[in-house]
Amino acid sequence: MSLEISAVSPVINAKPNPKVGFVSLGCPKALVDSEQILTQLRAEGYDTAKSYDGADLVIVNTCGFIDAAVQESLDAIAEALNENGKVIVTGCLGKKKDADGNDLIQSIHPKVLAVTGPHALTEVMSAVHLHLPKPHEPFLDLVPPQGVKLTPKHFAYLKISEGCNHRCSFCIIPSMRGDLVSRPIGDVLVEAENLFKAGVKELLVISQDTSAYGVDIKFRMGFWDGKPIKTHMTQLVEALGELAKRYGAWVRLHYVYPYPHVDQIIPFMNNGHVLPYLDVPLQHAHPDVLKRMKRPASGEKNIERIKAWRAMCPDITIRSTFIAGFPGETEEEFEYLLDFLREAEIDRLGCFAYSPVEGASANELTNQLPDDVREDRRRRVMELQEGISKKRLQAKIGKTMRVLIDSLDRSGGVGRSSADAPEIDGVVYVKPPFEPHRKLQVGEFVDVTITAADAHDLWGEAV
């Protein structure tokens, strides 16, 4: 396991600054927490270490959503303790208790210096100050306006809120991250503009429930650029689209629950800056399963809603995740899900076999399905989806698409279209144009004519 860090330039003729190593695990929302901690460390004059040996202490930002993530986090803590010995733990796993009600991490790893929950910048910095006093003077000039980022320079995550008001029976995120707390819309837009000014070409909007932005503060009026603006998803997306257009960039929306007002943002997707892409966590299609999941949408109108979105924006890509083998799921209910997927033709789809999460109310439901049944249903969903995805990608052959280059290889470059979010969707393999000495560059947009496709990725030639 490697440390995820960014280097800080040394200060000439100064005493070496204390160094902090950083391990960041989990989802993009946890990554943003990591970036905020690293930004504060840098603001206070700490350096970041490239190895355990070079660190005065190590911070591990954990994930605690499913069993595999819990184990990965515990292993990371054990490795940091073994390699360095001075470890501060933060993140979702920090809120979990063991069977006796004691702190899970400290019961397993009693030598850690401190444990905090997620989104706990103040608590983490207090623990750092206690065990590694900060330099005498902060080096604020070393902190870029956009903060320290763990993503490549050309894309970044923008977290607009923390927590969630839903109580889905399979999820324990609200118990770890709390209820919805929306960031002031002016702060969000200032951060977005700083990121664009720093060269970010794609901004990925994240939260636990992007569609609910502003609900907790009753859509309070805020201010940005000297003008009033309501703290509401629609106004936020419109403003981000205008900003992205100004800087020739993209905005991509994640974790969008299918509430009716989402229809209002679809027209913004036809201008090429708010991407025609919606990450909608549907989880299932059968109304009875969704009720047992305590999902905020019944599922009965999702087909109609998807058709309406495609009518308003024919190029829209819809990504979603589903759970197969949820407690009590009958074969009839599962077949209902398969029929839904055949009709909906979701562009990008992930499916998980139901996995009990400690503390989730779904654990108390009757008729927990055997592991082999859950896994078989997950396999059947993914086999169906492979055919759907292949069909939809094959239809793109011959079209010219805008692609953002992420990396280079011997054949040219690897990039992503508007249909591809980093790390979770497919990629586009791009041959460079035939112009002499013309090479592709990471972070540039190129127009690519698609020449081939499989069930996941595309191949094409730069125009």
Side-chain angles (χ1 to χ4, degrees), residues 189-334:
L189 292 170
V190 166
E191 181 179 349
E193 184 161 28
N194 284 336
L195 288 166
F196 287 138
K197 286 179 179 179
V200 166
K201 293 300 181 183
E202 180 181 5
L203 205 56
L204 299 103
V205 177
I206 59 170
S207 66
Q208 297 297 145
D209 181 357
T210 296
S211 305
Y213 177 66
V215 167
D216 56 310
I217 54 175
K218 299 180 180 180
F219 309 117
R220 179 188 305 151
M221 191 68 71
F223 288 89
W224 176 66
D225 201 22
K227 301 175 183 177
I229 182 170
K230 187 181 292 186
T231 307
H232 190 281
M233 179 197 188
T234 305
Q235 281 81 350
L236 174 64
V237 172
E238 183 177 15
L240 288 173
E242 292 173 356
L243 263 178
K245 183 178 181 180
R246 190 183 306 171
Y247 290 93
W250 284 352
V251 172
R252 188 183 300 275
L253 303 177
H254 285 280
Y255 311 107
V256 179
Y257 279 78
Y259 304 147
H261 68 263
V262 172
D263 296 353
Q264 300 170 24
I265 69 171
I266 305 300
F268 301 144
M269 296 180 175
N270 287 312
N271 65 12
H273 295 285
V274 176
L275 292 180
Y277 179 103
L278 278 184
D279 175 8
V280 187
L282 297 175
Q283 305 300 358
H284 211 279
H286 197 284
D288 291 343
V289 178
L290 289 168
K291 287 177 183 176
R292 293 197 295 274
M293 289 180 169
K294 297 184 179 179
R295 296 293 288 165
S298 67
E300 297 170 343
K301 297 182 179 180
N302 283 336
I303 284 289
E304 290 78 5
R305 184 162 286 123
I306 289 170
K307 289 179 178 178
W309 291 342
R310 286 174 171 157
M312 286 187 280
C313 183
D315 291 332
I316 194 169
T317 294
I318 298 173
R319 148 164 278 282
S320 192
T321 52
F322 292 83
I323 297 174
F326 191 76
E329 182 189 62
T330 65
E331 181 64 26
E332 181 183 3
E333 290 169 341
F334 178 68

Side-chain angles (χ1 to χ4, degrees), residues 3 243 249 273 276 335 339-340 342 354 366 379 405 447-448 456:
L3 292 176
L243 263 178
H273 295 285
E335 289 290 346
D339 288 341
F340 171 87
R342 292 186 186 101
Y354 171 73
T366 58
R379 177 189 58 78
I405 301 299
D447 292 325
V448 178
H456 306 286

Side-chain angles (χ1 to χ4, degrees), residues 72 113 162 208:
E72 181 186 24
L113 301 177
E162 188 61 64
Q208 297 297 145

Side-chain angles (χ1 to χ4, degrees), residues 431-439 461-463:
K431 285 186 178 180
F434 291 107
E435 302 173 21
H437 311 297
R438 170 75 165 90
K439 293 183 178 180
E461 298 178 357
V463 178

Side-chain angles (χ1 to χ4, degrees), residues 69-272:
V70 170
Q71 191 57 54
E72 181 186 24
S73 295
L74 291 174
D75 290 346
I77 296 167
E79 180 179 289
L81 284 169
N82 184 58
E83 297 292 332
N84 182 276
K86 298 181 68 176
V87 178
I88 293 170
V89 179
T90 187
C92 289
L93 191 58
K95 292 292 288 290
K96 295 201 75 169
K97 306 295 182 182
D98 62 17
D100 298 323
N102 300 315
D103 183 276
L104 175 67
I105 292 173
Q106 290 186 322
S107 64
I108 296 175
H109 296 299
K111 294 184 179 180
V112 296
L113 301 177
V115 178
T116 80
H119 199 57
L121 174 62
T122 301
E123 292 88 340
V124 171
M125 293 308 302
S126 295
V128 171
H129 297 155
L130 179 63
H131 298 283
L132 188 64
K134 61 183 178 180
H136 294 297
E137 296 181 5
F139 298 94
L140 293 176
D141 57 315
L142 296 178
V143 183
Q146 73 276 12
V148 175
K149 295 295 172 184
L150 293 172
T151 50
K153 292 182 179 180
H154 62 284
F155 71 83
Y157 294 100
L158 179 69
K159 184 158 62 172
I160 64 171
S161 63
E162 188 61 64
C164 182
N165 287 342
H166 304 305
R167 295 298 183 265
C168 302
S169 62
F170 56 83
C171 181
I172 58 172
I173 292 297
S175 67
M176 294 187 288
R177 289 185 172 264
D179 290 336
L180 176 73
V181 178
S182 300
R183 293 181 60 197
I185 192 167
D187 292 356
V188 172
L189 292 170
V190 166
E191 181 179 349
E193 184 161 28
N194 284 336
L195 288 166
F196 287 138
K197 286 179 179 179
V200 166
K201 293 300 181 183
E202 180 181 5
L203 205 56
L204 299 103
V205 177
I206 59 170
S207 66
Q208 297 297 145
D209 181 357
T210 296
S211 305
Y213 177 66
V215 167
D216 56 310
I217 54 175
K218 299 180 180 180
F219 309 117
R220 179 188 305 151
M221 191 68 71
F223 288 89
W224 176 66
D225 201 22
K227 301 175 183 177
I229 182 170
K230 187 181 292 186
T231 307
H232 190 281
M233 179 197 188
T234 305
Q235 281 81 350
L236 174 64
V237 172
E238 183 177 15
L240 288 173
E242 292 173 356
L243 263 178
K245 183 178 181 180
R246 190 183 306 171
Y247 290 93
W250 284 352
V251 172
R252 188 183 300 275
L253 303 177
H254 285 280
Y255 311 107
V256 179
Y257 279 78
Y259 304 147
H261 68 263
V262 172
D263 296 353
Q264 300 170 24
I265 69 171
I266 305 300
F268 301 144
M269 296 180 175
N270 287 312
N271 65 12

